[in-house]
Amino acid sequence: MNTNESNHNPTSDFIRDIVADDVQSGKHTRIITRFPPEPNGYLHIGHAKAICIDFGVAAEFNGECHLRMDDTNPAKENMEYVESIRNDVRWLGFDWGPHFYFSADYFERMYEAAATLIRKEKAYVCELTMDEWKDYRGIPTQPGKPSPFRNRPIGESLDLFARMRAGQFPDGTLCVRAKIDMSSPNLHLRDPVMYRIMRAHHYRTGDKWCIYPTYDFAHPLEDAFENITHSLCTLEFEVHRPLYDWFLRELEFPQPPRQIEFARLNLTYTVLSKRRLLELVRDGLVNGWDDPRMPTIAGLRRRGFTPASIRTFCKRIGVTKFDGYTDIALLEFCLREELNRTAPRAMAVLNPVKVVIENYPAGQEEWLEAVNNPEDSSAGTRQVPFSRELYIEADDFMEDAPRKFFRLAPGREVRLRYGYLVTCTGFDKDPVTGRITQVRCNYDPATRGGNAPDGRKVKGTIHWVSAPHAVRAEVRLYDRLFKAEHPEEVSAGQDYKMNLNTESLKVIHALVEPGLANPAPDIRFQFERKGYFIQDRVDFRQDSPVYNQIVPLKDSWTKTAATE
Ligand code: ATP
Ligand code: MG
C-alpha cells in the first residue's frame, strides 16, 4: 500500500504514481498497458490480480489495455485456452476494444530484429551445446568464458541464421545469442539465447517456423511493437529487466516501454500455477478447469463468485513489491459482503427431519408472505406455502436440549420463519438406530407471520419447507481443495498433491422451497441460515435443480457455527 501522505488518491500505489508522473511530465500522452497470458492453461485468481492492475491502470488514465496471447512457445498452446482467456477477461468486466493480439503474428518482425542485432554485432550464431554452455556461462561470482563463436563474422552469423530458419540444422544445435557481457553478475546478461531451433507445430503458424524466439527476446519486442508505455508484470521478471531494456536500447526504439514489477498473488490453501492446475485436471483430481473448487476464473464463476467481488478483492489486496500470502478468507469475505446486499433469500433444508403440526388441518395449505431481502426493500416479497407437514433441519431439534438451545425441543416454542410459533409436543425415534424420524408440534393460529399477540418472547427462529410442496435438490458442498495452508511447501521428495483435501466435495440431497425449482439463471441465493448457493451452470436439470454452495454464511474456519 502506498504510504505517501501527500498523495490525495487513496487508491494509489507505486505503479499508479509512476504512471501519473509520466503523464504529468509529458513523457506520455496516452497510457498503453497490456495483459499477456500464455494460452497454455486457464486463467486463475492470480491472473485476475494482474488483469485488474493492467486494465485498471489503463482505464484510470483514459488509456488502453491490450490483450495479447503470448504464444511464442509452441508446445503447450491451443485455441481452447485462447477462447477461455477472452471469455474470462470479458467476464471479469474488462474490455480490450480492438486491441487483441497474438505474439506469433510478430514472428517475422522478431526475426528481422534478431538479424538487425547480428548486423550491429550485438548478436551471433553459437554452436555450443546446452551442456557446453553451462560451463561457459559460469556462476554469478566469477566471469564466464566467451563462446568461441562470439566474434564470428557478421556475414557468417547472418547466413547461419537464415539456414536455421530454412530447417538445415537439427533441433537444439545452433542458437542465436545476444552479445552482452560474459562477466555480468546477472547471468541473464551473459549472452542469453534469443532464438533456438525447435521443430514444433504451432497452433497458429503451423509448421511455418522451426526456430522460435525466447521469452526474454520476444517480450520487449511485443511491448515495443504495440507501443506499450508501461509493461506491468510480476516480481520474478525483475532480474530480467536489464535484458529487457538492453534489447530495446540496442534496437533503438524511440519510446521504449518501461517494465514495472509487482508481487504476485499467493493465496492460502490454494495452488496458483498453471502447470499444477493442469496436472490436477489431467489426473482427474478435479472435474475439469471449471471445477468449482478450482482457483481458475472459470471455476470461481461456476462456483458462483461474482466479477465484482473478485475486483473488490484485487483492490483490497493492493499492489506492492512484497511477496507474501493472502488469506483466502479475504476473497470469501468480499463475496459475502456483496451477496449479503444482493442475494435473494430462500429456504432450503439441507439435512431434513419431518415435522407434523398436529393441530393444523390435514389437506389445508396457505401461502405466507416472505421477505426476499431484508437488506434491500426493493427486492419485495414472495409467497411460500405452509401446510401440516414440514421439514426442518435435523439439528434444529434436540431431544435433551441444554437451556441455551433456542430451537426445537420437547415443550419448547420456536418461530417458523415467516410462519407461526410452534411448540414441540413430542417426537418419534427409530428404535434401532435412535434416529429422530418425526417431530410433533402444535401451532398457535394467532401467530401468523411469527408474532404473538400477547407479546410473549420466542427467541429462536428456524427455517423450514412445506413437505408436499418441497422440491428435491442436489446440493454440492465445497471445502478447500487443499488442507494445508501453504500446499506447495512440502519437504524434499514429497508432492504438493499429498495436501489435497479428500473431503473437498460433499454431495447431499436437500429439500427446497418451490421457487428454487427452476429459477432464472445466474441468481445467487442466500439459503437462510446456511450460506450462498447458485444453480450449477453445467449440470442443469429442469425441475430437479443442482445447487453449488458458493460460501457458507459465516467463515466456519475461524468462527464456530452460530446457533442464532
Ligand atoms: P503460472 O505461474 O500460473 O503458470 P504464468 O506467469 O506462467 O502463470 P502467464 O500466462 O505468463 O502465466 O501470465 C500472464 C500474466 O499474469 C503475467 O504478466 C504474470 O506476471 C501474471 N500472473 C501470473 N500469475 C500471477 C499471480 N499469481 N499473481 C499476479 N499476477 C500473475
Ligand atoms: Mg509466465
Side-chain angles (χ1 to χ4, degrees):
M1 283 284 164
N2 176 31
T3 50
N4 181 356
E5 297 290 335
S6 66
N7 197 311
H8 332 288
N9 183 352
T11 61
S12 195
D13 53 61
F14 73 96
I15 292 181
R16 288 168 166 90
D17 290 348
I18 292 172
V19 175
D21 283 350
D22 287 348
V23 169
Q24 196 147 38
S25 72
K27 182 176 177 194
H28 297 295
T29 46
R30 185 161 176 77
I31 297 305
I32 310 180
T33 61
R34 86 289 173 262
F35 173 62
E38 182 178 357
N40 61 351
Y42 279 60
L43 298 181
H44 53 62
I45 182 77
H47 294 115
K49 173 179 178 176
I51 291 167
C52 287
I53 295 172
D54 296 331
F55 281 89
V57 166
E60 285 156 37
F61 290 90
N62 291 316
E64 66 197 47
C65 180
H66 298 184
L67 178 59
R68 181 199 308 148
M69 299 300 117
D70 203 345
D71 55 1
T72 54
N73 180 19
K76 303 177 204 145
E77 300 163 351
N78 70 48
M79 274 317 278
E80 178 198 339
Y81 296 140
V82 171
E83 277 316 311
S84 77
I85 290 167
R86 289 168 56 95
N87 195 25
D88 290 348
V89 174
R90 215 180 277 124
W91 180 78
L92 279 173
F94 297 103
D95 183 8
W96 52 88
H99 301 290
F100 178 71
Y101 302 107
F102 291 96
S103 300
D105 292 353
Y106 307 132
F107 278 163
E108 196 65 53
R109 290 169 80 184
M110 290 175 183
Y111 178 86
E112 278 311 316
T116 300
L117 290 179
I118 294 175
R119 274 186 224 104
K120 285 184 71 177
E121 288 197 272
K122 294 292 180 185
Y124 58 95
V125 171
C126 179
E127 294 172 37
L128 293 178
T129 64
M130 293 264 268
D131 277 342
E132 286 167 334
W133 179 250
K134 273 190 201 130
D135 197 37
Y136 276 79
R137 188 172 71 165
I139 53 171
T141 48
Q142 285 167 21
K145 286 183 290 180
S147 159
F149 306 98
R150 199 170 201 254
N151 292 317
R152 80 183 335 157
I154 294 171
E156 204 175 291
S157 277
L158 281 176
D159 174 59
L160 288 170
F161 188 34
R163 287 165 58 199
M164 280 168 65
R165 176 179 181 168
Q168 294 183 15
F169 305 103
D171 282 13
T173 51
L174 310 195
C175 69
V176 179
R177 291 188 185 284
K179 194 184 211 174
I180 309 182
D181 180 1
M182 287 307 292
S183 56
S184 171
N186 183 343
L187 291 185
H188 297 289
L189 293 178
R190 294 193 186 175
D191 290 14
V193 176
M194 292 159 48
Y195 261 98
R196 68 262 197 235
I197 306 175
M198 195 159 56
R199 283 175 180 74
H201 188 82
H202 188 280
Y203 76 108
R204 271 181 71 78
T205 55
D207 297 315
K208 177 166 182 217
W209 293 88
C210 63
I211 56 171
Y212 289 95
T214 56
Y215 179 89
D216 278 334
F217 178 58
H219 206 79
L221 292 181
E222 296 157 15
D223 286 345
F225 292 157
E226 293 177 17
N227 299 313
I228 302 298
T229 56
H230 300 85
S231 179
L232 313 176
C233 63
T234 35
L235 279 178
E236 69 268 26
F237 295 107
E238 194 167 22
V239 286
H240 298 248
R241 184 172 2 113
L243 182 53
Y244 180 96
D245 291 338
W246 186 90
F247 282 124
L248 296 176
R249 196 167 55 243
E250 292 303 333
L251 287 164
E252 297 167 39
F253 285 98
Q255 282 245 337
R258 171 170 177 188
Q259 175 178 302
I260 308 170
E261 310 85 14
F262 58 87
R264 66 195 291 118
L265 172 70
N266 300 304
L267 263 192
T268 55
Y269 300 100
T270 309
V271 159
L272 290 184
S273 134
K274 277 193 278 191
R275 186 169 53 80
R276 292 192 166 148
L277 296 177
L278 175 64
E279 185 178 28
L280 297 176
V281 173
R282 284 236 178 103
D283 293 357
L285 297 167
V286 293
N287 302 314
W289 286 102
D290 68 346
D291 186 304
R293 293 166 294 178
M294 287 281 270
T296 51
I297 305 300
L300 292 168
R301 173 169 59 236
R302 186 167 170 194
R303 175 79 168 259
F305 278 74
T306 61
S309 67
I310 296 174
R311 292 195 303 265
T312 301
F313 169 74
C314 292
K315 197 174 269 176
R316 291 230 174 128
I317 57 179
V319 185
T320 69
K321 281 248 182 209
F322 308 106
D323 265 324
Y325 277 91
T326 299
D327 192 337
I328 193 168
L330 179 62
L331 176 62
E332 294 166 356
F333 171 81
C334 294
L335 181 70
R336 271 193 207 100
E337 203 181 38
E338 178 186 338
L339 294 185
N340 180 47
R341 278 183 281 114
T342 58
R345 273 53 170 174
M347 292 198 283
V349 177
L350 302 188
N351 179 22
V353 65
K354 186 171 263 185
V355 173
V356 179
I357 317 254
E358 291 182 310
N359 62 341
Y360 194 90
Q364 180 173 313
E365 68 166 41
E366 63 188 294
W367 292 76
L368 301 166
E369 184 167 60
V371 173
N372 283 333
N373 186 349
E375 305 283 325
D376 174 10
S377 55
S378 72
T381 60
R382 69 189 185 285
Q383 302 288 309
V384 292
F386 185 85
S387 67
R388 180 182 157 90
E389 297 202 346
L390 316 172
Y391 288 105
I392 63 167
E393 298 289 348
D395 63 6
D396 280 339
F397 173 79
M398 262 181 104
E399 186 181 341
D400 284 312
R403 247 161 39 96
K404 293 239 152 151
F405 183 77
F406 298 117
R407 292 172 274 169
L408 260 189
R412 299 211 193 159
E413 190 170 43
V414 77
R415 177 181 300 104
L416 296 175
R417 182 84 156 147
Y418 303 120
Y420 292 94
L421 300 181
V422 295
T423 303
C424 177
T425 52
F427 60 92
D428 302 321
K429 201 162 149 173
D430 184 313
V432 181
T433 62
R435 217 174 55 88
I436 306 293
T437 51
Q438 176 167 290
V439 176
R440 296 193 300 275
C441 290
N442 276 337
Y443 85 118
D444 179 349
T447 58
R448 195 174 200 263
N451 290 313
D454 63 2
R456 71 180 183 272
K457 278 232 154 58
V458 173
K459 242 186 157 163
T461 301
I462 62 174
H463 63 279
W464 52 277
V465 292
S466 164
H469 303 89
V471 171
R472 208 175 123 92
E474 178 179 319
V475 173
R476 298 172 181 174
L477 301 172
Y478 299 105
D479 201 344
R480 314 255 192 261
L481 186 53
F482 290 92
K483 52 186 195 287
E485 194 170 338
H486 303 144
E488 287 164 299
E489 292 175 11
V490 290
S491 1
Q494 291 184 320
D495 188 302
Y496 74 98
K497 293 199 289 301
M498 71 182 239
N499 288 322
L500 275 166
N501 176 6
T502 50
E503 323 231 305
S504 55
L505 168 63
K506 196 168 143 201
V507 179
I508 60 168
H509 292 280
L511 291 163
V512 303
E513 66 171 82
L516 293 175
N518 204 2
D522 251 0
I523 299 186
R524 295 157 180 90
F525 291 96
Q526 184 193 100
F527 289 180
E528 297 219 23
R529 300 171 67 224
K530 288 290 158 195
Y532 296 99
F533 293 80
I534 189 170
Q535 254 201 315
D536 190 80
R537 53 172 63 222
V538 178
D539 297 334
F540 179 82
R541 279 178 233 129
Q542 192 81 16
D543 295 322
S544 164
V546 177
Y547 278 92
N548 290 319
Q549 180 189 49
I550 314 172
V551 273
L553 215 48
K554 304 239 164 70
D555 182 357
S556 54
W557 283 62
T558 52
K559 296 181 199 131
T560 48
T563 49
E564 294 238 299

